Amino acid sequence: MEHLREHWGSRFGFMLAAAGSAIGLGSLWKFPYVAGDHGGGAFVLVYLLATLFICVPLFICELVMGRATQRGAVEAFSILSRQSQNWKGMGWLALTSTLVVYSYYAVVSGWTLNYVILSLSNFTAGKSPEEIRAVFDLLLKAGGMNLFWQFGFLLLTAAVVWGGVRKGIEHWAKILTPALLAILIALFFYAITMPGFHEALRFLLIPDFSKVTPSGILSAVGLSFFTASLGFGIILTYGSYLRPDENLPSMTVAILGSTLGIALIAALTIFPIVFSFGFSPSEGPGLVFKVLPVLFSQLPAPLLISTLFFLLLVFTALTSTVSLLENMTANCIEQFQWSRKKSIVLSTLAAFMLGVPSALAGSGQLFPSWQPIYNADFFATISTLWDRWFLPLSGLLISIFVGYVMDRQLRDKEFLGSSKASYLLPGWLFLIRYVVPIVLILLILEGTNLVSFDALIHN
Ligand code: PHE
């Protein structure tokens, strides 16, 4: 079947959409608290190295595969492996990961929407800090509300993807990504004026190597990997809408460089507030949803600052969920020959249904015995399963595929594109053939508890 593939309207549009996918709750919600938990500067340094030596090469792998085939992950693996069913299965694994992650990512994204409405209704007024913090715990237990906001976020995402690559995704990326940047920079300038700014700078930028542990290193690698949206075939799909003359390595460095910059600015915005009020940097996942509202309530213009901040989170989550849904849609169109609209509706419904147990996880309304049996609620169980096993495994298989299986000439031609920088090719090949697989295997070993590197080092 001959099919006309839509292309990005401009290189800039693609870069905003890809950066929008990468910049998400991983950078703005998770990065600050995980960096806080692991002692700050040293974690940031490792994260930077992981982005450069693991994520950049893998990101290029996905772009190479997508552009070479002009297809989504399932077809791309099938075509490039000359119809091997096993490799095609890898495409399905990436797609399954997309569905699973979309289902629970939409729950957290729903919280951000909820907090915008809460902020607009001035929810901190007249509440003690303890009461403000307790709002988040109440929300976690409120099953119906979680479902409502999760569904709302899924609809919002579907509305963006509905318009297609150019009129939907690219159009909205051009609005949302700059808007997000503007809000973040405004809040950052505000944070600079706070007394805790210098302490935050020191905490985040000066590495204290006594705080580096092997498991800390691996969690930096894992987080940078998730942040770059790797292992889902998403970057592959976005790459499939690229024209043949684009230069993949330089675009990758620009996209991941700005993602890293945003994560750092986010942390440099949040920590001055935390330090100025004497809170601990290792607050865990509640850092953004529990601590910040308490602090906002003590600042001038709490309604404005808090609304802006949570709007920032909505935008950043939305450009990420858009990429998840587009990935499912593109593959459904190719695999089942459904129309775009049908693919969007069914993918949204599937994500909603699979997301129900995650949305209800905190309330204990569904599967009340899940927690005692698995030692974690449903949400935590599946997100850990994917973080530890399936995503690193996908990354490993992609690097092996591009490094050893895919046609060499095609691969090298796609890598170089219109650029003359052929001296970069051997470096990239070395990374995807040796460095990336070894690091990802270590990550899987640690994640499965087969080996504890912390214990090994202390013996
Ligand atoms: N990269 C996004 C983030 O950091 C998460 C994401 C993962 C988005 C996978 C799309 C696909 O939040």
Side-chain angles (χ1 to χ4, degrees):
M1 186 189 67
E2 195 42 49
H3 76 177
L4 276 184
R5 196 162 189 87
E6 210 183 340
H7 282 106
W8 300 104
S10 67
R11 170 184 307 163
F12 189 56
F14 157 73
M15 292 181 56
L16 283 181
S21 169
I23 301 164
L25 297 170
S27 313
L28 277 88
W29 167 61
K30 221 166 171 187
F31 177 78
Y33 83 75
V34 181
D37 279 348
H38 287 95
F43 181 89
V44 173
L45 183 67
V46 178
Y47 186 86
L48 193 138
L49 294 175
T51 302
L52 202 62
F53 294 113
I54 309 290
C55 299
V56 167
L58 266 177
F59 201 94
I60 300 177
C61 287
E62 288 207 21
L63 289 180
V64 160
M65 291 182 66
R67 191 175 61 183
T69 54
Q70 302 275 302
R71 296 288 190 281
V74 181
E75 280 302 297
F77 271 103
S78 169
I79 294 172
L80 294 173
S81 65
R82 299 194 191 80
Q83 268 74 41
S84 143
Q85 287 306 315
N86 290 340
W87 283 113
K88 193 171 180 182
M90 166 59 218
W92 284 110
L93 170 67
L95 206 60
T96 311
S97 299
T98 309
L99 172 64
V100 172
V101 171
Y102 188 27
S103 76
Y104 68 79
Y105 198 83
V107 176
V108 183
S109 304
W111 298 342
T112 64
L113 209 52
N114 173 64
Y115 268 83
V116 170
I117 307 294
L118 273 175
S119 305
L120 280 173
S121 57
N122 215 359
F123 79 112
T124 54
K127 285 202 176 77
S128 69
E130 279 323 303
E131 287 168 329
I132 296 175
R133 292 172 70 105
V135 169
F136 184 67
D137 301 319
L138 279 177
L139 173 69
L140 284 186
K141 294 204 185 80
M145 279 178 74
N146 274 284
L147 274 184
F148 175 77
W149 290 114
Q150 177 231 19
F151 190 64
F153 213 92
L154 291 173
L155 285 186
L156 203 60
T157 310
V160 171
V161 175
W162 200 256
V165 177
R166 269 197 215 190
K167 292 206 190 104
I169 302 174
E170 188 170 349
H171 172 76
W172 281 102
K174 280 187 182 157
I175 298 175
L176 295 175
T177 310
L180 166 164
L181 201 65
I183 299 179
L184 184 62
I185 289 179
L187 290 172
F188 174 63
F189 276 112
Y190 180 71
I192 291 181
T193 65
M194 308 213 54
F197 185 71
H198 287 285
E199 196 178 344
L201 263 187
R202 226 173 305 127
F203 178 69
L204 287 167
L205 299 185
I206 301 182
D208 170 359
F209 289 102
S210 67
K211 298 236 169 79
V212 181
T213 58
S215 61
I217 293 181
L218 292 174
S219 62
V221 178
L223 182 60
S224 69
F225 189 83
F226 181 78
T227 302
S229 304
L230 291 168
F232 297 85
I234 286 182
I235 301 307
L236 188 158
T237 298
Y238 274 18
S240 74
Y241 306 129
L242 276 176
R243 291 170 202 284
D245 53 347
E246 304 290 2
N247 179 342
L248 305 183
S250 67
M251 284 200 298
T252 300
V253 170
I255 293 168
L256 291 185
S258 45
T259 307
L260 190 74
I262 297 264
L264 269 180
I265 298 180
L268 280 174
T269 305
I270 292 172
F271 281 111
I273 311 183
V274 172
F275 286 132
S276 301
F277 286 88
F279 281 84
S280 150
S282 40
E283 257 294 321
L287 183 66
V288 161
F289 292 104
K290 285 168 108 172
V291 176
L292 288 187
V294 173
L295 307 172
F296 292 152
S297 73
Q298 305 181 9
L299 302 176
L303 195 146
L304 179 73
I305 297 180
S306 170
T307 308
L308 273 182
F309 181 80
F310 287 110
L311 208 55
L312 167 72
L313 291 191
V314 169
F315 288 175
T316 179
L318 186 58
T319 45
S320 297
T321 51
V322 160
S323 70
L324 288 157
L325 178 58
E326 175 60 25
N327 195 35
M328 292 175 66
T329 305
N331 281 284
C332 284
I333 296 174
E334 286 167 13
Q335 293 309 310
F336 312 122
Q337 276 83 44
W338 293 344
S339 70
R340 183 170 181 87
K341 305 220 151 115
K342 180 172 174 188
S343 307
I344 293 177
V345 171
L346 294 181
S347 303
T348 302
L349 278 179
F352 175 66
M353 282 179 334
L354 190 65
V356 169
S358 291
L360 298 182
S363 72
Q365 283 161 294
L366 188 70
F367 309 144
S369 320
W370 192 284
Q371 170 88 32
I373 293 177
Y374 280 89
N375 235 344
D377 64 26
F378 181 87
F379 186 131
T381 307
I382 57 164
S383 60
T384 313
L385 218 56
W386 256 263
D387 280 358
R388 293 212 170 151
W389 276 96
F390 293 115
L391 294 178
L393 185 67
S394 288
L396 176 64
L397 292 173
I398 290 173
S399 65
I400 291 176
F401 186 79
V402 178
Y404 298 97
V405 181
M406 182 180 166
D407 180 74
R408 278 173 157 200
Q409 274 181 341
L410 181 60
R411 175 191 65 203
D412 299 354
K413 179 178 120 261
E414 288 297 338
F415 177 86
L416 290 172
S418 60
S419 106
K420 309 254 172 312
S422 53
Y423 57 90
L424 290 175
L425 185 62
W428 176 61
L429 288 176
F430 177 74
L431 289 173
I432 62 170
R433 285 185 161 170
Y434 306 106
V435 179
V436 174
I438 290 174
V439 173
L440 290 178
I441 288 173
L442 292 181
L443 195 65
I444 295 170
L445 287 179
E446 166 84 18
T448 53
N449 287 337
L450 276 176
V451 182
S452 164
F453 293 103
D454 285 352
L456 276 183
I457 287 215
H458 288 120
N459 271 338

